[in-house]
Amino acid sequence: MRRIVAAGLVAICGMLGGDPARADWVPPFKGNDTGGIIAYSLAQQVDARQLAVNHCASYGKVVKFLAVDAQYGGYISFSCRWVPYGTNERPLRTLY
């Protein structure tokens, strides 16, 4: 019985050891209702401003860009803010 348990444990450890841990992978566009990040490599291919505007408009907010790390592996960060006082209209979503 001990040999079967030991063989099963070795097999399970071998399967788990061969599977890569994707802990360092982040999608090129990630966000929620407070803001998000856009990979700089994606921003070179598409209009990053339009991605951020559409994302924030889906929550009824407007976009405010915070920082740009313009290098390989860098990100563009933005926040989603409530519509400023004095405006009567909601943010518009564009067709992209």
Side-chain angles (χ1 to χ4, degrees):
M1 183 68 171
R2 288 183 183 170
R3 287 185 178 179
I4 294 173
V5 172
L9 185 62
V10 167
I12 290 173
C13 289
M15 289 184 339
L16 292 177
D19 191 27
R22 305 192 61 169
D24 60 342
W25 186 80
V26 178
F29 181 82
K30 185 174 184 174
N32 56 18
D33 65 328
T34 61
I37 56 173
I38 303 170
Y40 190 70
S41 60
L42 177 65
Q44 291 175 338
Q45 299 170 1
V46 298
D47 189 8
R49 291 176 296 156
Q50 204 61 41
L51 285 174
V53 166
N54 285 339
H55 176 75
C56 292
S58 68
Y59 294 105
K61 297 181 178 184
V62 294
V63 68
K64 179 179 181 183
F65 286 95
L66 300 175
V68 176
D69 186 15
Q71 63 180 352
Y72 179 76
Y75 284 93
I76 298 172
S77 61
F78 64 93
S79 69
C80 297
R81 304 281 175 105
W82 291 109
V83 178
Y85 292 111
T87 58
N88 295 329
E89 299 178 12
R90 293 180 53 90
L92 297 175
R93 287 193 80 175
T94 58
L95 299 175
Y96 189 75

